Amino acid sequence: MTGRVEDRREDWEGPVPVPTGATVPFWDGTLEGELRYQECDCGHRQLYPRAVCTACGAEDPLFEASEGVGTIYTYTVCHVPGEPGFGERTPYVVGAIDLAEGPRLLALLDADPDDLEIGAAVGVAFWQVSDEAAIPVFVPE
Amino acid sequence: MAEPILAGVAESDLGETPDRNWLDNAAIATVRALEDAGCQLAEVDGVAVAGGDDYMPALVLSEYLDLDEPSFLEGTEIGGSSFEHFCGHVRDAMARDEADVVVVAYGSTSKTGPGRNQSLEETHPIDGFVRPTGLFRPPGAYAMAARRHMHEYGTTEEQLAEIAVATREWAAMNPKAAQREPITVDDVLESREIAAPFNLLDCCLVSDGGGAVVLVSEEKAAELGVPEIAVAGVASTSTHRQDISEMPDMTTTGAAVTGPKAFDQAGITHDDVDVAEIYDSFTYTALVTLEDLGFCEKGEGGEFVSGGTTAPGGELPMNTQGGGLSYCHPGHFGIFVLIEAARQLRGDYEGDRQVDDAEVAVAHGTGGLLSSSSTVVLRRES
Ligand SMILES: [Zn+2]
């Protein structure tokens, strides 16, 4: 387990991921509180998941479990909702998170905008938003 | 290599066009640009179009204009920089004698038309990693990049605001500009928060409208007797698409690659550039592009734009029609970048609006979320 899974299916009105193709194992992992990335035999690590390794072209690179910790590469504070269901949430923070293992991931940051800075340590939690997926959300460590 | 000549340019009506759809606006801009070039619709043998709400836009526009077996069809969609990108393909086609008169067109109803809201079932799987975050795009994505630049180089919100202020000074002289009232740095900083660090005045307008440019072969240009505004250099690239976190370095865009290529093709240096038309979807877009094109060192864009460098009378006149920030921004601004560059090189304007003796212009498009970059160098040959 890398992060706690919180069931938000009742009140989530935002977009819901639709697992397809190479993303299926990733979303399956989120339901178990596991943040998965792909690590190819060639050593390359990547997210979002793809059917091919972008370094060597190998097909279906295997998934590994991340520790679920990383740092904030950058972030923005959205004062205007960007998607349906986010109207009540403003201002909210979206960041690009550099995982300790390397890959970078776009994610909601569940934090007070005033307490954030680039480089700060964050850890993953999951909000289950459908029967098929939980979205990774990062909180300051 | 033979260089296409930018023979005619035009906008459709801008601002709000509730009685028009995107094709209407693209077609109206097209016939106006042809009139500007002194060309007939029947002479058009190629179209290049992007941005329309159709996945075969070149075919749709050809049909709408009832073109007779056009030999050049281009509808590659790379966002706001598509039109600069097309200039290279037109150059190649003309070098092969495949086309003599190509219309590069755009139309939109971004402001009053229907929104596009695909469900996640209909779109590609990458969206599943983007849209559930709620990121307000495009502003939030560009804002993330701007914040990283501020972190790495000490760029300030005041410096970003300088771009909005200088651009508004140009808009004040353009009757077609939507926003013409002078603004100050404080006005920008005190405007409504959109996606921090951006406030409202860091962000482009949302408009309806279209634009078109007519590119002709050198032979055709001689026949038409138009001023020879030549496409002297073109280069394009991309760094990512849908997910801003896929951008390798948010402080450097593809312009760092396309700028040197296009300048080299044209045989110019920065000192030769009289006027710069730089896609300004946001203040940061222009700032980072100026750095990447090499008008200043990486990280020094904030200092470079301070003190009216890009304003009327400044060292580098930029976005001389008021830019996407103050003139119009119907979704894809790249067509308007070319239109204004041509007009400056032709000397269409009077007084402070006209850049004196403009011979070389850089027109740079940016598409997606800082995703695609296309640089065009235009040069007046006669
Ligand atoms: Zn590999």
Side-chain angles (χ1 to χ4, degrees), chain A residues 16 50 73-76 79 92, chain B residues 120 134 144 147-148 196 246:
Chain A
V16 169
R50 293 151 162 96
Y73 173 76
T74 188
Y75 65 97
T76 183
H79 294 269
Y92 57 89
Chain B
L120 284 176
M144 286 169 71
R147 188 185 297 281
R148 184 69 199 185
E246 288 287 311

Side-chain angles (χ1 to χ4, degrees), chain B residues 339-362:
Chain B
I339 291 169
E340 177 65 10
R343 287 176 172 159
Q344 285 290 349
L345 296 182
R346 299 196 308 204
D348 281 6
Y349 302 117
E350 289 176 351
D352 293 340
R353 173 82 196 279
Q354 177 63 46
V355 176
D356 291 339
D357 299 320
E359 275 186 37
V360 174
V362 171

